[in-house]
Structure formats: structure tokens, C-alpha cells
Amino acid sequence: MNMKYNIAVNTVNAALKIYAHCLPSHVNHKFPEFVKGRIALVRRIAEEMRSDDSGYPVVWFHVSSLGEYAIARPLISRIKAHGNATVVLTFFSPSGYRALKDNHPGIDHLFYLPLDTRDNVRGFLEAVRPSVAVFMVSEYWPNMLEELKFRNVPTYLVSAIIRNDSVFFRWYGKIFRRSLSSYTRFFVLDRNSLVNLRMLGCTNVTLSGDPLFDNAMLVADTPWSSAALDRFCTGDRPVFVAGSVSDSKDIALVAKAVSDHPSMRCIIVPHDVSERTLEKIRKSLDCGSVLYSELERNGGETAERIVIVDCVGKLAYIYRYATMAYVGGGFTPLLHSVIEATVYGVPVSFGPRIERKVTPQQMIELGIGAMVRTPQELSAWIDSLTPDKLSEIKKAAFEYVKSNLGATDEIIKTIENSLWQKK
């Protein structure tokens, strides 16, 4: 194992422990929350797992944040439906952990992922004792993967994208290239990833679909409504949903679109619902707005035409109210899920940074998605959505989603084979 990596991760671990002791108890920002959540984490995990006397094999899912959880969710549902298994889910990000900590159906144990030191890894795996480990998208923790391989735990990477410029092809990527050998199988989203993994010596690769489609359909089929939004969205005025609005560029685009279309109702759903972000969005608008919590208290009554959602976990359901949508994060490498809106037949726009995603490029080619770089481009795109165009896009979007359903079946079959064989 690379000595420099271990020195670095141990140094970070030690620094975080010192920082944690200096934090006021009331601090709840993202980074302090990340630190506080890891205080005595391995000990707390061990204590909780000792109380689990089910005797079932453990399937451990690890996701970075809430977006990756959407990939894991249909897999978790299928595991719980098909047999007796204990599901452990870990998050790296506080936002994902916070969203699920009070309500996580199908998940028996929910934890943060400990930092990737050797001691943390060994303590975690001794406590959890997974029969199978399933990671999402791009998780390459060298110590964890090496220890899983040593313990002969079948380990899978789902919805992987291996780009030409990924860390594995860089001069410093040796430690991460070595970690690839720990995976039992890769499920990749595109042919380029399959080719790149084979170039790296990995032949255990399956080109599969994206479980995000299955998850989005699961959400779309779930009965859900908001009495407040039902009332807000009544009538024949178009509804523009701006989901996962993440940064200043997202906010500028959305604010311009709202200003240019005074007859349009708008629902803005920030990725971060801190008071600071909510205030920043409100100040960017040249007209009034109401918070979702206020709208609920008022029974949907408001003189404003903009709602800003100040809670998490509702966006995938709110898209069902949309006439058209903008998905945030596209001015960074971390564009959020465009599938959540597409599953309702809604045309979707997004920023230009789509190199890490397969779906947005496919949607552009099909005419159901659009890349926008400026506020003017977003406004022009909204203007182009005539009733006939909306009808065409809705039909094409439904066909696109339908053709991509079913990835969960293929992946879960492989995972369950390992699980019950190991049992």
C-alpha cells in the first residue's frame, strides 16, 4: 500500500479529531457536521452492530451522497424483497446522511463511512462483517478495497464511468489502478468505460443500464402530492421547476428566466437549504417569493408566483408539477440527476459540464434535453417550448425512460448470487 497515501490520510484523520474537540455543540454547517459525525464513529458502529442478532447475511452499500443513494435505492429495495438480508448503508456526505437519518425504510443500519485509515477500515469491517459490498459510481478507497479483497468479500461498483482523463491514466494513479483489482465486477454505463477498464487490465466488466431510471420510475409511481403545491399550480399557467440549484451561475440563470416570463409560476429547489442560500436566492430575484414552509402554513394561498423549497427530500416528487425544468450543478463536474424530471415527460435543461454523465448527452441527441450556458439561452429555450413541442418531448421522454428500465434486475441477480453462495 502506498506509504504517502497512508501518511496523508492518517494526518487528515488526526487533524479532524483535534478540530472536532474545538467545535461548539450548536454548529451544524456541512463541514463541521462531517467532522462531528466521525467522532468515535467506529466504536459507535461496533456497538450498534453487536445489537443486531438477526443472523442474516449483511449487504453493505456505500454511496457518496444523496444522488448516489438514488442509484442504490432500487437495489436495496430488491435485496429486501427477495430474501433475508441485513442492509447497511454508509454515506460520505453529511447532506445524504442527514436526509435519511430519521427515516430510512429498507435500511437496517445507517452510518457515515469512516476515513480510509487502516485502523478505521479494519474496525469497520470487523463490526459490519459484510457478505457483499456494493459501491456506487466512483468509489476507490485503497485501504478499504484492499481489506475487502483480503477478506474475500465480493465487491461491486455500480454505474461506473471511467473517462479517458480519469485518475487511473495519470502518472500518480498507480495506487488507484491497483485498487481496481479488488472489484469482483464493474457495471459501467457506457462503452468507453468498458474499453478503458479493459485497457487497465479489467475484464470483469458488464455494460449495463442505469438503476437511476428504475429509481426515478419507482418515485414517479409512488402516490405523493402537496396540497399547497396543488393549489399553487392550479390553472393553465406553465410551471418551471429549477431543481438542485447549486451555485451562483445556476441562480443567475434561474433568476433571469423568472424575470423574462412573468406569466410563469416557478418552484426553486436549492441543493443546499441553509438560510444563507435561501436568502441569496431571494435577493437574486426581481420579484417576491414565498418559502415552501410558509406556503404550507397558508394552505397554498399566496400572491407570489415563486416558491423556494426550504426542505430536502421532495424534489423528485415535485418534478411532477413541472411543465419544464432546469437541473443545477451543470457549471461544475457534479450535474445533478436529470432523470428525475425526465421520467415525468418533462423537458430538461442543464449547464455545459456534462462530461461525467452519459444521460444528458443522450437527451440532447433525442431533443428532450438542452444544454444552456447563459441566462439568455435558458430563456430562449423556455420560449421555444410550444404546446406541440411539449407534446412531442413528452412522448419521446417516456419512450427514452421505458427503453432504459430494468438495469436493477441484471445487477441484483449478480449480487444475490454472491450473497447466497457466501451464506
Side-chain angles (χ1 to χ4, degrees), residues 61 63 69 71-81 87-89 105-107 408 412:
F61 290 88
V63 300
Y69 168 66
I71 302 170
R73 184 175 173 233
L75 301 173
I76 291 170
S77 297
R78 201 68 58 85
I79 285 284
K80 295 299 284 187
V87 170
V88 172
L89 177 68
I107 300 163
T408 299
I412 211 67

Side-chain angles (χ1 to χ4, degrees), residues 171-219:
W171 63 268
Y172 53 83
K174 182 177 179 181
I175 186 173
F176 298 102
R177 288 194 294 271
R178 193 178 348 177
S179 70
L180 295 175
S181 67
S182 297
Y183 280 108
T184 307
R185 181 153 293 276
F186 301 86
F187 294 95
V188 300
L189 292 182
D190 63 354
R191 189 162 295 280
N192 189 56
S193 297
L194 184 148
V195 170
N196 282 337
L197 279 169
R198 287 180 175 169
M199 287 174 61
L200 292 163
C202 302
T203 58
N204 51 335
V205 186
T206 298
L207 179 60
S208 69
D210 192 342
L212 274 175
F213 285 93
D214 297 318
N215 180 66
M217 184 57 72
L218 189 67
V219 171

